[in-house]
Amino acid sequence: MDVRTTQGVHHEKTGSAVWSGGLKDGKGFISTQSGALDNVAYGFNTRFEDGPGSNPEELIGAAHAACFTMALSGQLGEAGLRATALKTTADVSLEKIDGSYAITAVHLTLVASIPGATEEAFQGAALRAKLGCPVSKLLATEITMDAHLE
């Protein structure tokens, strides 16, 4: 749904979760408006014990990797460059601090194939994408990056 605002077009996308039971013995299901995720299982075991299913941190990682990679494509286009491949992984760190959990860092790892790109142009575009993508702006945590041009 698009809603006009004074600053332009506002887009809303929806994710949802349902839960039943306690923290450790309960279970939940995650869905997205698009149907890309449809009642995907999540729970304590998928978050802290590598059980089958998803968890919020990997979803944040996927969202951040996707957002950053799209932003990088835009930055490269502004520089007159076009990638043949951009491969990004976002490692999301969840740590227990003072008795409660917090996402403390995200580390982006990028491997890129960009014909005609100099290292300087590539690193500049990657930095601008890291700082400018909406998910980076959302996350109030340290975001580090290793960007490699093939």
Side-chain angles (χ1 to χ4, degrees):
M1 169 168 100
D2 290 344
V3 179
R4 295 272 169 196
T5 66
T6 58
Q7 279 127 13
V9 178
H10 173 79
H11 297 278
E12 286 187 9
K13 302 296 180 190
T14 303
S16 63
V18 296
W19 186 268
S20 62
L23 174 63
K24 290 191 176 182
D25 66 346
K27 62 181 176 178
F29 297 94
I30 304 167
S31 298
T32 57
Q33 176 182 345
S34 67
L37 297 176
D38 186 18
N39 288 315
V40 174
Y42 83 105
F44 190 89
N45 66 334
T46 66
R47 197 168 193 185
F48 300 105
E49 300 169 354
D50 295 326
S54 189
N55 60 70
E57 291 72 35
E58 78 174 6
L59 296 173
I60 290 168
H64 198 183
C67 184
F68 164 77
T69 305
M70 284 183 75
L72 178 55
S73 179
Q75 289 294 326
L76 293 171
E78 288 181 19
L81 297 167
R82 185 179 180 95
T84 54
L86 299 173
K87 300 173 189 169
T88 305
T89 301
D91 294 308
V92 177
S93 296
L94 179 69
E95 297 182 53
K96 194 168 191 176
I97 300 173
D98 298 328
S100 66
Y101 285 95
I103 293 174
T104 57
V106 177
H107 182 76
L108 300 171
T109 302
L110 165 67
V111 178
S113 296
I114 309 164
T118 65
E119 187 68 26
E120 182 180 359
F122 167 66
Q123 292 295 336
L127 179 60
R128 288 188 302 277
K130 180 187 93 149
L131 297 172
C133 97
V135 174
S136 288
K137 292 177 183 179
L138 169 71
L139 299 173
T141 191
E142 179 183 13
I143 301 169
T144 57
M145 176 176 66
D146 289 324
H148 303 282
L149 185 60
E150 294 185 315

